[in-house]
Amino acid sequence: MKLAVTALMIGSAAAFAPSAMPKASTSLNMVNELELGVTEPLGVFDPLGWLETEPEAFERRRAVERKHGRVAMAAIVGCIVHNNHIVFDGYLSPSANLKFSDVPTGIDGIRAIPTAGLAQILAFFALVELAWMPASKYDGDYGVGYFGVDIADPEEKARKLNVELNNGRAAQMGIMGNMVVECMTGQTMYEQYAAGHISPFGDGQGV
């Protein structure tokens, strides 16, 4: 499991640093998107040179990064909660006699969900993506504020947006690392904790 933790640490470092390009402010109280997500010591992490060759695509790519980060943060929290056997009471599907506690942890959990349940999840995704939080809204500000509070101070808002971006990057690395290690070891996060299984190249019985 330490591999996933290491992935989280690496993800927090894989970030943009302040750019020398002209400032491009958004509607987020004049926060400069090009200066968000700054993390030393990488400098401007743009190995393909897209900031120079495709500057017009930066806003869309930042929006994609922000949304993927938000999804990944929810995913890693859900993964940790479920792997610690914290589940809802009652039935996930009464017609299939399937309780929430019957759903296995890890990647196999999705295979236990009935087809109708998966369809509902996809329909919810479509609602969020097309209506509630549309992908076309690049600034990622959906009017809900920070826990319901609108932050008027541009410096404070920039700091919190920086935190969100870097935590989202770490979460993307973390959830991907967790899934890869589970596939390699055949152990869920909980089983890796319990076995003290640190190396994905071991036999699943410890370090």
Side-chain angles (χ1 to χ4, degrees), residues 130-194:
L130 299 176
W132 184 19
M133 298 180 178
S136 58
K137 189 171 176 56
Y138 286 168
D139 62 15
D141 189 348
Y142 300 107
V144 296
Y146 179 74
F147 292 100
V149 178
D150 184 36
I151 302 173
D153 182 7
E155 290 187 4
E156 178 67 9
K157 175 161 272 190
R159 187 185 71 80
K160 291 189 182 298
L161 288 172
N162 265 306
V163 170
E164 179 188 38
L165 275 173
N166 282 315
N167 286 350
R169 290 164 178 167
Q172 289 175 76
M173 295 296 293
I175 193 65
M176 180 60 69
N178 181 74
M179 291 189 294
V180 169
V181 172
E182 182 178 333
C183 290
M184 292 178 68
T185 64
Q187 292 180 308
T188 64
M189 181 189 291
Y190 177 82
E191 291 167 339
Q192 291 173 55
Y193 281 146

Side-chain angles (χ1 to χ4, degrees), residues 6-165:
T6 302
L8 283 171
M9 296 173 65
I10 293 173
S12 66
F16 290 97
S19 173
M21 294 180 64
K23 292 187 175 182
S25 298
T26 69
S27 61
L28 298 178
N29 289 329
M30 301 303 290
V31 171
N32 183 4
E33 283 282 2
L34 290 172
E35 294 180 355
L36 291 179
V38 296
T39 303
E40 295 294 346
L42 290 181
V44 178
F45 189 71
D46 182 27
L48 299 180
W50 283 344
L51 285 175
E52 293 288 344
T53 60
E54 301 178 22
E56 70 284 351
F58 172 80
E59 189 177 14
R60 183 185 65 81
R61 290 188 175 118
R62 170 51 57 83
V64 170
E65 176 189 30
R66 180 183 289 117
K67 179 164 282 190
H68 286 181
R70 289 171 175 174
V71 171
M73 286 188 281
I76 197 68
V77 170
C79 185
I80 292 171
V81 168
H82 197 204
N83 270 275
N84 282 278
H85 304 293
I86 301 172
V87 298
F88 292 113
D89 292 329
Y91 286 85
L92 172 64
S93 174
S95 61
N97 197 31
L98 179 68
K99 295 182 178 180
F100 285 102
S101 57
D102 295 331
V103 178
T105 58
I107 297 175
D108 286 337
I110 196 169
R111 299 188 179 97
I113 301 175
T115 302
L118 293 175
Q120 290 175 43
I121 293 173
L122 292 175
F124 177 73
F125 286 170
L127 173 66
V128 172
E129 193 74 6
L130 299 176
W132 184 19
M133 298 180 178
S136 58
K137 189 171 176 56
Y138 286 168
D139 62 15
D141 189 348
Y142 300 107
V144 296
Y146 179 74
F147 292 100
V149 178
D150 184 36
I151 302 173
D153 182 7
E155 290 187 4
E156 178 67 9
K157 175 161 272 190
R159 187 185 71 80
K160 291 189 182 298
L161 288 172
N162 265 306
V163 170
E164 179 188 38
L165 275 173

